[in-house]
Amino acid sequence: MIDPQCAALILIDMQEGFIDTASPLCIAGAAATVPACARALEGARAHGMTVMHVRRQYAEDGSDVEAVRWEAWAEGGRPLSTAWPESLACPKELAPLPGEPVIFKPSFSAFFGTELAALLRQKGITTVVLAGTTTPNCVRSTAYDGLSLGFNVAVVRDATSSRTPEVQEANLADMEFIGVSLIHADELASGGLEYVRDTEGEVACAVALERKVAGEEGDAECAPCEPMPHLDSIETISTGWINKYLLHYTTVDGKPYTYEAASRKGPEAFAAQLAHLGAGEAPRTDAVGMVPILPDGSILLIREFRYPLNSWCISFPAGLIDEGESLTEAVARELAEETGYRLREDLGEEAVRVLPQTGFSSTGMSEESVQVVYAFVEPAGEARPEDAELIRPFVLKRSEIRPFLESNRTPIGTRAQLILESLAL
């Protein structure tokens, strides 16, 4: 069965603007699914799943309303905007608990133009369970995008709604046909993920086995799985801000081998991260690195005194993601602390664009993973670094990058060097 800690319930658009019959965007049957959505929430929380809430909020001037619904929206009181604030709320039994992310999406799919995929990867989540409204639009587009991104996808059938029962059943059948698991709220509440198939995991194992068999039989067209050393034990040498470990392996030829590693994680979290990576699973993201871009296309960098170098160093703003903090929240906080800049308010969610895969800061020494983003920023005030941090932000125009790289003699972080070189090209 799927580990509940590797799964998330995503509740989509259960707002009064889609539930209240006074709203022109009301979905028939949405109100009737509130109890089932509440049972799904309660079950997900009880079984230790992550819970995320996805919502829609339009600009009061209607500039971001889908063209196909703009007329009804404008003439019907402008729901899901601050012109009708009550329509933005959700039923009290569906309210987020402290620490549960609320993500605002610019269109139908919960993945489109949001940080949802990055948040899921950061938490090591491989399965998403969808509930909310509407089944043909927001739920279905989220399900298809989830499948395209490699997640297992399930839909809580009685916690979703459509304009007619016929439309509901047709869309559920289509999703089931392409591999979406259909479950009921009571099944989720009682059995957790017992009724959700781990399709991605099953196929990955089947492919690995097929490649292994083909390799043993000498099939040149299918390369065998590369053998790996086996991690036998992890020995803690010292703890502190940076922890030091000895990794005791058995190599592929059966010999013992010990490797030194460093991590900011304690022994349990460090062992869990290595287990995730060894199993081919997505890492739990530790930090964020950003490439800040100003409205005129200039690049924001920092000079920071780096104690291990005993020198100033050129780099991009970066920092650890705090417990319970979303990726965008970490970006905004680090920008403010290190540079005094902020995410551009006119771009909304588009101010942060996430690279599709988490990377690693130093694969020869540490398992620390870093999610790199492009951040579109603007000046906001004074920087607020911590007492021991010596940071000086500075800006380079695109035309200044090449001369800077050719003349700079200050140590530079590899990530900053490569990105600046690519921008200079």
Side-chain angles (χ1 to χ4, degrees):
M1 191 173 73
I2 297 168
D3 183 353
Q5 294 189 351
C6 296
L9 175 69
I10 301 174
L11 185 63
I12 301 173
D13 288 350
M14 288 303 288
Q15 301 162 262
E16 294 298 342
F18 293 118
I19 299 173
D20 186 352
T21 56
S23 168
L25 304 183
C26 177
I27 304 303
T33 66
V34 170
C37 288
R39 288 197 301 276
L41 279 174
E42 181 180 0
R45 291 163 178 160
H47 288 284
M49 293 170 58
T50 292
V51 173
M52 297 184 179
H53 304 258
V54 175
R55 297 181 180 176
R56 192 74 168 94
Q57 180 169 342
Y58 293 124
E60 192 169 341
D61 63 3
S63 56
D64 56 355
V65 177
E66 294 85 356
V68 294
R69 61 170 52 152
W70 187 89
E71 186 175 358
W73 173 87
E75 295 176 355
R78 303 184 177 233
L80 298 169
S81 76
T82 53
W84 188 348
E86 295 82 6
S87 68
L88 292 167
C90 70
K92 62 180 185 302
E93 56 265 61
L94 305 184
L97 295 182
E100 292 179 353
V102 178
I103 299 169
F104 290 91
K105 59 187 175 72
S107 191
F108 299 110
S109 171
F111 287 104
F112 178 79
T114 74
E115 63 190 68
L116 176 59
L119 281 175
L120 295 172
R121 304 288 191 208
Q122 174 190 331
K123 293 176 177 291
I125 288 168
T126 56
T127 297
V128 292
V129 180
L130 310 181
T133 196
T134 68
T135 305
N137 297 336
C138 302
V139 174
R140 182 167 173 162
S141 59
T142 301
Y144 278 57
D145 282 353
L147 291 171
S148 298
L149 290 166
F151 292 99
N152 291 307
V153 179
V155 170
V156 187
R157 60 182 309 147
D158 55 335
T160 58
S161 51
S162 303
R163 56 190 173 86
T164 69
E166 293 77 15
V167 170
Q168 174 78 352
E169 291 306 315
N171 278 274
L172 290 173
D174 275 350
M175 286 190 285
E176 186 176 34
F177 181 75
I178 64 162
V180 172
S181 298
L182 301 182
I183 61 174
H184 289 84
D186 287 341
E187 292 174 336
L188 180 63
S190 62
L193 299 162
E194 180 180 352
Y195 300 96
V196 178
R197 182 182 176 187
D198 185 7
T199 307
E200 290 288 330
E202 292 173 7
V203 170
C205 289
V207 170
L209 179 60
E210 186 171 320
R211 287 177 174 172
K212 182 177 181 180
V213 170
E216 290 172 350
E217 294 175 354
D219 185 349
E221 295 182 0
C222 183
C225 294
E226 289 291 334
M228 292 170 48
H230 182 267
L231 179 58
D232 300 314
S233 64
I234 301 174
E235 180 183 353
T236 303
I237 301 302
S238 62
T239 58
W241 169 239
I242 301 293
N243 305 306
K244 183 179 178 182
Y245 300 98
L246 290 180
L247 309 180
H248 298 288
Y249 282 93
T250 298
T251 63
V252 294
D253 57 358
K255 297 178 181 178
Y257 181 72
T258 298
Y259 195 91
E260 296 183 15
S263 175
R264 289 189 175 96
K265 297 184 182 68
E268 290 186 4
F270 178 65
Q273 181 82 313
L274 293 190
H276 273 286
L277 295 170
E281 299 175 6
R284 300 180 186 275
T285 307
D286 302 312
V288 61
M290 64 200 81
V291 182
I293 302 173
L294 277 66
D296 66 355
S298 299
I299 307 300
L300 174 66
L301 295 106
I302 59 172
R303 290 185 178 89
E304 180 176 11
F305 185 82
R306 283 297 192 180
Y307 292 92
L309 300 184
N310 189 33
S311 172
W312 292 87
C313 181
I314 305 297
S315 61
F316 285 112
L320 296 175
I321 300 174
D322 290 342
E323 184 69 28
E325 192 175 45
S326 72
L327 189 68
T328 296
E329 289 169 342
V331 170
R333 176 180 54 77
E334 289 292 346
L335 273 174
E337 291 174 356
E338 294 191 357
T339 70
Y341 283 69
R342 68 184 178 195
L343 294 171
R344 283 176 55 183
E345 296 182 342
D346 61 314
L347 295 180
E349 296 291 334
E350 290 296 312
V352 176
R353 297 185 184 174
V354 184
L355 268 63
Q357 185 178 2
T358 300
F360 293 85
S361 56
S362 179
T363 56
M365 182 174 65
S366 174
E367 65 2 300
E368 183 175 79
S369 58
V370 182
Q371 178 65 64
V372 177
V373 306
Y374 287 93
F376 298 90
V377 305
E378 59 190 3
E382 296 296 323
R384 305 188 303 273
E386 296 179 5
D387 292 341
E389 290 182 324
L390 301 176
I391 300 175
R392 306 289 184 267
F394 68 102
V395 173
L396 283 180
K397 295 180 180 179
R398 292 293 179 95
S399 60
E400 297 172 336
I401 293 176
R402 172 53 59 201
F404 171 81
L405 289 170
E406 292 178 352
S407 62
N408 175 60
R409 294 297 177 266
T410 303
I412 187 169
T414 302
R415 186 164 56 238
Q417 182 184 35
L418 292 174
I419 293 172
L420 289 174
E421 286 287 352
S422 67
L423 290 173
L425 291 175

